[in-house]
Amino acid sequence: MSLHTHPEVPDGVVPAPRPEETAKGDLAPVPLWAPLAALIVAFFAAALSGLVILALIEAGGGNVADDTPGLIIPATLIQDAALIGAALLFSAIYARGLTPASFGLRPTRLWPAVGWTLLAWAAFLALTAIYVNIVGQPDQQELTRDLKDESSTAALIGYAVLLAFVAPLCEELFFRGFMFGVLREKIGVAGGALATGLIFGGVHATGSPVETLGVLVVLGVLLCLLYWRTGSLLPCIALHALNNGISFVVTTDVPIGGAIAIVLATSTGAVAVGALVMRRVRVLPGLPQTPR
């Protein structure tokens, strides 16, 4: 799929801005505190849904210890959906006429985007190696242990879709498209990237060893900078999906052929969905369309 900006961009799609032209955007009216409030609302909704799912499993005579995927997968899907819903809600309260481009779903030049994505990935690998050398190899995440012990093919497929397809889409839209989009308007690119990275790492604290959080903070900051440099969220979705897909196939010891297929399918699929929303949706449904 070509994502060039000129002259292939369909009518109505805004070309990708240069980094220096993205200082002011559609999210400028959204207050500084709104992303954190949206995050709290989303996690509260996810927690309630988790309790409901837990009650349903127990009411059906099931055992949560024997059906971990039955709890984790739907609860996480609801959490990801809640992140998007909260971002749209808090944005709609303060901003007008929002489109997918307001959250970074806009075209960008293909080869520069590929170059910046590879550079961000190389920087992540290098900084991670340095970090691990300093603090030591962290213990495995709780989810990693669950994946290693999982024998159900259906559950593994569900985890693959969740981790390498759904999560990159929803988390990039919330953390980079919404949170960083708001924070960089208030405290600048560097401050916004650092704050978003810290929060991104912090929300993954549950079930993760403390040492792992530093790696996630680094990834969160680099994804913000990748969004800023390319002017588009699509490279961030691609890198996030690629990283999660590789982590999944390595953890589950998928054979090389299947591993390549999973990584390619999830990363290209996530980008394709983002591009489809970018091209097909003009004004986000349910959001104010009147000018500021």
Side-chain angles (χ1 to χ4, degrees):
M1 179 181 296
S2 175
L3 299 178
H4 292 78
T5 55
H6 300 293
E8 295 85 359
V9 176
D11 293 339
V13 176
V14 180
R18 298 173 181 173
E20 61 270 17
E21 295 174 345
T22 60
K24 292 297 178 183
D26 296 340
L27 297 178
V30 181
L32 179 66
W33 53 265
L36 185 57
L39 185 65
I40 294 172
V41 168
F43 281 177
F44 181 73
L48 286 179
S49 68
L51 292 176
V52 171
I53 294 171
L54 180 62
L56 290 175
I57 292 175
E58 293 180 344
N63 188 330
V64 176
D66 298 330
D67 190 20
T68 301
L71 175 63
I72 293 179
I73 293 176
T76 307
L77 286 173
I78 293 172
Q79 174 183 289
D80 288 341
L83 286 174
I84 301 303
L88 295 178
L89 173 63
F90 278 82
S91 298
I93 293 173
Y94 298 97
R96 300 291 184 270
L98 295 173
T99 68
S102 305
F103 298 90
L105 289 177
R106 58 171 71 93
T108 186
R109 290 177 295 168
L110 177 60
W111 293 115
V114 170
W116 283 114
T117 301
L118 292 176
L119 180 61
W121 195 13
F124 172 64
L125 295 176
L127 291 173
T128 298
I130 295 172
Y131 178 82
V132 170
N133 187 58
I134 295 173
V135 304
Q137 185 67 41
D139 294 333
Q140 291 181 341
Q141 293 176 290
E142 183 177 331
L143 180 56
T144 299
R145 293 192 294 270
D146 291 340
L147 286 175
K148 284 183 175 293
D149 296 335
E150 186 58 59
S151 58
S152 168
T153 300
L156 288 173
I157 292 174
Y159 276 126
V161 172
L162 175 67
L163 297 174
F165 177 75
V166 177
L169 272 169
C170 296
E171 291 184 4
E172 288 311 305
L173 280 167
F174 184 87
F175 288 102
R176 257 58 65 179
F178 174 57
M179 180 173 287
F180 176 62
V182 172
L183 295 184
R184 73 177 181 186
E185 303 286 352
K186 311 301 181 184
I187 58 178
V189 171
L194 180 58
T196 302
L198 288 170
I199 296 172
F200 178 73
V203 299
H204 291 85
T206 303
S208 299
V210 174
E211 296 85 356
T212 303
L213 302 185
V215 175
L216 295 173
V217 170
V218 169
L219 178 62
V221 171
L222 289 173
L223 287 169
C224 289
L225 297 179
L226 178 60
Y227 173 31
W228 171 69
R229 284 303 310 176
T230 62
S232 173
L233 210 60
L234 297 180
C236 303
I237 294 172
L239 180 55
H240 196 152
L242 188 65
N243 179 74
N244 284 15
I246 292 175
S247 297
F248 174 82
V249 298
V250 169
T251 299
T252 53
D253 293 325
V254 177
I256 185 64
I260 293 174
I262 290 172
V263 171
L264 289 179
T266 52
S267 56
T268 57
V271 173
V273 170
L276 182 64
V277 173
M278 173 190 75
R279 293 179 181 276
R280 298 298 183 185
V281 179
R282 293 182 180 271
V283 177
L284 292 171
L287 298 182
Q289 301 182 28
T290 56
R292 296 175 197 160

